[in-house]
Amino acid sequence: MRNTTRLTVAQALVRFLARQWTERDGVERRLIAGCMGIFGHGNVAGIGQALAEQGAGTHDPLPYYPARNEQAMVHTAVGYARQSDRLSTLACTSSIGPGATNMVTGAALATIDRLPVLLLPGDLFATRVSSPVLQELEDPRSYDVSVNDCLKPVSRFWDRVNRPEQLPAALLGAMRVLTDPAETGAVTLALPQDVQAEAYDWPEELFARRVWHVARPVPEPAALARAAGLLRGSRRPLIVAGGGVGYSGACAELARFARRHGVPVAETQAGKGAVPYDHPCAVGAIGHTGTRAADTLAREADLVIGVGTRYSDFTTASRTLFRQAGFLNVNVAAFDAAKHAAETLVADAREALRALDDVDWRADPGWTARAAELAASWQAETDRFYGGTELTQPVVLGVLNAVAAGGVVVNAAGSMPGDLHRLWRACGPGQYHVEYGYSCMGYEIAGGLGVKLAAPEREVFVLVGDGSYLMMAQEIATAVQEDVKLVIVLVDNHGFASIGALSESVGALRLGTAYRTRGPDGRLDGERLPVDLAANAASLGADVLTAADPRTLRAALLRAVASPRTTVVHVETVPGPAPAAEAWWDVPVAEVSGLAEARAARERYDEAKRQQRPYL
Ligand SMILES: Cc1ncc(C[n+]2csc(CCOP(=O)(O)OP(=O)(O)O)c2C)c(N)n1
Ligand SMILES: [Mg+2]
């Protein structure tokens, strides 16, 4: 007779999750470090009851963190997972209906950014006896459809536990995907409300401590030989470092490889900080938001060595940047490795770089030297942008960069990601956290909370625009509740500076991009909206400081750093010089229009479009 334990499905789930660990390089960590949640009728009596009951008598309870918005709690889990190099994450429990669909955006973000999060939405009664229950969708064509089906395309693993017997396999499948570096992303286990509360006799081994060994696949010898051949044939190589470098813990290997073989290293948003900004081969950001140094080299390179990158349109300047290059892609995911008709090296980044390091080859010394000169001139330009006397956005970043050494900067959307990508000086891994796969407004504060939960020893600086802040600031209350300290720099320019500029450039006349009341003629050109964001932040429980010039900004930041409490530093920026795009971004413009501005924009668009290189 097997030993069994009688528990509800939800109790078994919570007990199981608390006993899952990851291991890589001999270090073990909790896979699911805690559970974020918001309760409703779809999860309070199941998961809620199970979370409340654990503790006394149970080893390793799963900590519970109540959040304010389900989308935000997924962002927090993402921030946690990214700061943990994907070796640990948080679960998110929601009710059925709106609580569950609020998580769709967070799930898409996690999946696109290749980051593990575990979503546990409540679901309709498996028995259907009480249908339609509160918040039920009711599809007349099929009683099997629920709103949780919206989570299918944005999840890398999705299952519905309609019977207790299905739970063990669903859990094992979920853990497998969360811990697989090539497969990982959002994982959803939809949990019917009635099933959560149902009791079952579980085999005790289900609750044994289980360690998931996170793989470091090594390169296949034949693929390695092909890659070595490509390297030997290249005189003007360029590394494009993506997020996979950091997740693999391959930063030291990348720095060594670049130096030894004289290869310039350019970085994507997710890859920024892969090498320190002052590494002799660092050429900074690549792509539409790239530095002049990196983008110039990209146009001339004969070989692009992509390491852990998914080649978003921002990286490739919508396929206009790499004009002469072939591709060698090192990626743990075959899907990403195969992009741009590359020679592929499907492997863990650290293992692959170690293996490639042995190839006896160097870039043309003239190319390496030119890269260093271009990088030095970009650093001089950065000093100029950082050094202004008025509070332009680059000056704000410069003042913050000087204070933030060793801390983590968090950002996601608006005009700041571009300025940060080009100008921010990151000195090491885990210091630059810009979510740019989904570039989701509202990620900043919630994601920053996850970063701080994962790395409490680090100072976390959340940079948030006024638009993003208005979309999702409420997790300040969660930070206060958890006594988790964030320094939030709220950059207020009274609207959407980024989309305003884009709108103007595509002939859309900045419509609806400034925060203004409707004027007497019916246009949105009235008074500035009387929104007091500083007062709003204070009302959520943060300390608030304001800054009016670079000197008071520095003083405010130093005070915020010295304080143990979450502090919002409110900064109104003035328009001023900012680095311009060195490379294109494909945003199609109206082909016909009565507006002269749009017609002119279309002419520029058609011209730029001719540079596009239609890779396979
Ligand atoms: C959820 C979401 N909605 C819309 C967008 C499109 N978008 C990108 S940036 C932006 C404006 C951001 O405004 P703000 O945070 O004030 O930053 P700013 O552009 O002023 O620097 C918008 C609407 C987005 N990225 N995310
Ligand atoms: Mg703004």
Side-chain angles (χ1 to χ4, degrees):
M1 264 277 297
R2 287 203 309 185
N3 287 338
T4 57
T5 308
R6 191 159 178 81
L7 295 171
T8 69
V9 165
Q11 290 159 359
L13 170 90
V14 167
R15 189 174 288 198
F16 174 92
L17 293 180
R19 305 213 171 149
Q20 306 305 304
W21 293 70
T22 59
E23 178 277 327
R24 196 176 68 174
D25 304 330
V27 181
E28 293 188 356
R29 296 175 180 78
R30 284 279 287 266
L31 168 54
I32 310 295
C35 183
M36 309 282 306
I38 293 181
F39 293 126
H41 63 286
N43 61 341
V44 68
I47 304 265
Q49 192 281 333
L51 285 165
E53 187 169 322
Q54 56 160 4
T58 325
H59 306 291
D60 308 330
L62 198 62
Y64 178 65
Y65 305 107
R68 266 75 219 164
N69 173 300
E70 292 86 355
Q71 178 186 324
M73 73 194 189
V74 186
H75 295 335
T76 300
V78 164
Y80 191 98
R82 177 163 166 183
Q83 198 65 26
S84 308
D85 289 338
R86 313 198 286 202
L87 298 167
S88 184
T89 186
L90 303 173
C92 298
T93 171
S94 81
S95 189
I96 68 172
T101 48
N102 269 356
M103 296 202 293
V104 173
T105 296
L109 183 152
T111 292
I112 289 165
D113 290 347
R114 319 282 199 258
L115 290 166
V117 295
L118 177 61
L119 309 185
L120 305 169
D123 211 328
L124 306 176
F125 286 45
T127 61
R128 299 182 187 153
V129 289
S130 305
S131 284
V133 296
L134 177 67
Q135 301 170 335
E136 178 166 344
L137 176 66
E138 284 200 284
D139 185 338
R141 296 161 303 172
S142 167
Y143 298 153
D144 195 38
V145 172
S146 95
V147 293
N148 284 337
D149 292 283
C150 295
L151 285 158
K152 279 185 185 172
V154 290
S155 296
R156 296 303 307 268
F157 180 87
W158 185 102
D159 203 9
R160 183 149 38 216
V161 181
N162 281 310
R163 297 209 29 93
E165 293 91 326
Q166 296 169 344
L167 182 70
L171 286 173
L172 294 174
M175 300 303 113
R176 173 184 65 76
V177 173
L178 287 173
T179 57
D180 182 329
E183 287 285 303
T184 200
V187 164
T188 299
L189 292 181
L191 301 165
Q193 198 184 324
D194 50 350
V195 179
Q196 284 181 50
E198 220 171 302
Y200 187 74
D201 295 311
W202 307 97
E204 268 180 9
E205 57 264 39
L206 180 64
F207 308 116
R209 187 177 190 277
R210 189 173 275 100
V211 180
W212 297 84
H213 301 281
V214 178
R216 287 193 179 278
V218 294
E220 206 197 339
L224 191 59
R226 288 192 295 270
L230 265 189
L231 292 186
R232 286 195 202 95
S234 166
R235 297 176 53 79
R236 301 186 310 280
L238 176 69
I239 291 170
V240 174
V245 177
Y247 302 147
S248 156
C251 295
E253 281 73 10
L254 179 66
R256 196 174 56 230
F257 175 88
R259 194 166 193 157
R260 182 143 163 213
H261 302 277
V263 188
V265 180
E267 295 170 333
T268 71
Q269 284 280 12
K272 195 169 158 85
V275 293
Y277 80 95
D278 54 357
H279 182 283
C281 296
V283 296
I286 185 115
H288 178 60
T289 52
T291 67
R292 193 168 311 134
D295 285 357
T296 303
L297 294 166
R299 291 191 179 92
E300 297 171 15
D302 63 5
L303 177 68
V304 169
I305 308 168
V307 187
T309 174
R310 51 189 285 273
Y311 287 110
S312 83
D313 62 348
F314 265 68
T315 297
T316 67
S318 301
R319 302 183 184 228
T320 59
L321 195 55
F322 306 115
R323 298 196 179 153
Q324 311 172 32
F327 290 83
L328 167 63
N329 289 342
V330 174
N331 208 298
V332 74
F335 172 69
D336 288 316
K339 288 176 177 173
H340 299 295
E343 192 68 65
T344 65
L345 201 57
V346 178
D348 170 69
R350 199 183 79 180
E351 295 297 326
L353 286 166
R354 283 183 181 169
L356 289 172
D357 208 22
D358 294 337
V359 180
D360 185 18
W361 153 83
R362 266 195 82 85
D364 183 342
W367 173 253
T368 311
R370 189 161 127 71
E373 275 164 33
L374 284 165
S377 84
W378 184 260
Q379 287 308 326
E381 194 148 336
T382 301
D383 283 333
R384 282 195 289 281
F385 280 118
Y386 274 3
T389 50
E390 285 195 284
L391 273 185
T392 63
Q393 190 160 283
V395 168
V396 170
L397 300 188
V399 173
L400 179 60
N401 192 258
V403 171
V408 188
V409 66
V410 181
N411 185 244
S415 58
M416 275 187 282
D419 288 352
L420 281 166
H421 197 204
R422 292 186 189 101
L423 301 178
W424 191 258
R425 289 169 170 161
C427 299
Q431 296 185 8
Y432 183 87
H433 187 121
V434 173
E435 188 287 299
Y436 215 66
Y438 215 36
S439 187
C440 185
M441 287 170 76
Y443 174 83
E444 297 87 346
I445 294 170
L449 173 61
V451 172
K452 185 71 178 178
L453 285 170
E457 73 287 359
R458 290 213 178 177
E459 204 68 61
V460 176
F461 299 90
V462 172
L463 271 167
V464 59
D466 53 320
S468 268
Y469 181 92
L470 274 174
M471 213 175 257
M472 200 167 276
Q474 74 292 331
E475 299 311 311
I476 288 175
T478 308
V480 171
Q481 157 199 298
E482 297 298 332
D483 198 15
V484 165
K485 182 231 173 147
L486 302 174
V487 177
I488 300 171
V489 183
L490 168 48
V491 178
D492 195 349
N493 53 24
H494 304 281
F496 300 165
S498 53
I499 303 299
L502 180 64
S503 170
E504 188 172 322
S505 77
V506 298
L509 310 181
R510 290 186 174 260
L511 173 67
T513 57
Y515 287 158
R516 302 241 166 217
T517 59
R518 206 167 279 287
D521 56 359
R523 293 206 214 121
L524 289 165
D525 58 358
E527 300 290 307
R528 218 173 233 181
L529 283 187
V531 181
D532 186 341
L533 296 182
N536 178 280
S539 79
L540 293 171
D543 290 345
V544 179
L545 303 169
T546 54
D549 56 47
R551 195 182 51 79
T552 50
L553 174 59
R554 184 178 158 78
L557 289 170
L558 290 173
R559 258 183 78 186
V561 168
S563 165
R565 287 174 40 78
T566 287
T567 305
V568 172
V569 179
H570 182 236
V571 192
E572 290 209 30
T573 51
V574 295
E582 300 287 335
W584 189 56
W585 183 37
D586 193 347
V587 178
V589 177
E591 205 168 352
V592 291
S593 169
L595 291 173
E597 291 89 339
R599 288 197 300 274
R602 180 69 196 199
E603 267 180 41
R604 290 193 301 273
Y605 178 77
D606 287 336
E607 177 60 34
K609 186 93 180 153
R610 280 192 272 279
Q611 301 288 334
Q612 217 163 27
R613 187 176 157 185
Y615 300 123
L616 298 175

